[in-house]
């Protein structure tokens, strides 16, 4: 599922409409927000706080979790037993009631995350999902032909390695714990975390060393 598939320009029949014109969903969001404020259920300050929380979530948080799991076997065991509690050990808070399940890649198993219905995603530890994760081709094909999808990301999984595809839901989210690359013995957690990418924690690519240190 190459990101190049989503980079093409398309003709928009309504391009002549002013960019300032509010769309349907923007109008609905404004109406609901104003209604909630009028009812006293939520105020502007709380809305701003929630936006700030969302903006603070990036893949760097997930990378921090992965690096700690690589260097601390006890933490890795606790993380796999309860992903949410493991993240909270590192000060990563959850702003919803979702459960987080951490899936460990091994020599025998490679994990891949998808949401076949919409775009459920471990936002508290990864931030916003990439566009390709939300689009129908990935959501459908990741389940049907995961090896082909991974190959489009440049990831070839040996035939003797099982690929497990986990389908996220509104209440259950997944995070892949990728395999630690060889040659990183003695590295600091900070250096290890710098290797971990968002896509590796979704499961579409492995964690690799930069060419300069290979």
């Amino acid at each position: 599922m190459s990101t190049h598939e989503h980079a093409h320009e398309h003709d928009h029949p309504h391009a002549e409409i002013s960019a300032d014109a509010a769309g349907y969903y923007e109008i609905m969001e404004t109406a609901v927000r104003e209604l909630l404020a009028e009812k006293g259920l939520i105020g502007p300050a709380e809305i701003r706080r929630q936006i700030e929380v969302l903006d603070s979530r990036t893949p760097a948080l997930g990378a921090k979790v992965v690096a700690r799991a690589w260097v601390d076997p006890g933490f890795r065991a606790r993380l796999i037993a309860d992903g949410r509690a493991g993240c909270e050990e590192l000060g990563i808070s959850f702003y919803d009631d979702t459960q987080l399940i951490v899936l460990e890649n091994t020599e025998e198993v490679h994990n891949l995350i998808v949401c076949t219905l919409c775009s459920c995603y471990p936002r508290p530890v990864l931030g916003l999902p990439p566009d390709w994760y939300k689009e129908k081709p990935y959501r459908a094909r990741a389940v049907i032909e995961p090896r082909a999808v991974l190959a489009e990301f440049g990831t070839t999984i040996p035939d003797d390695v099982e690929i497990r595809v986990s389908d996220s839901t509104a209440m259950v989210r997944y995070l892949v714990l990728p395999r630690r690359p060889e040659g990183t013995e003695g590295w600091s957690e900070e250096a290890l975390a710098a290797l971990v990418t968002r896509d590796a924690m979704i499961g579409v690519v492995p964690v690799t060393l930069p060419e300069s240190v290979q």
Side-chain angles (χ1 to χ4, degrees), residues 32-44 46-47:
V32 170
R33 174 162 43 84
E34 291 179 350
L35 179 61
L36 291 173
E38 181 182 333
K39 298 286 187 181
L41 299 175
I42 191 170
E46 177 61 18
I47 292 173

Side-chain angles (χ1 to χ4, degrees), residues 70 181 184 187 190-197 200 206-210 213:
W70 282 346
T184 58
W187 285 36
E190 292 76 12
L192 290 170
L195 298 175
V196 183
T197 65
V207 174
T208 58
L209 292 175
V213 297

Side-chain angles (χ1 to χ4, degrees), residues 5 28 30 97 106 123 148 154 205:
E5 295 181 18
M28 289 296 294
T30 300
D97 294 327
T106 67
R123 298 187 184 209
V205 299

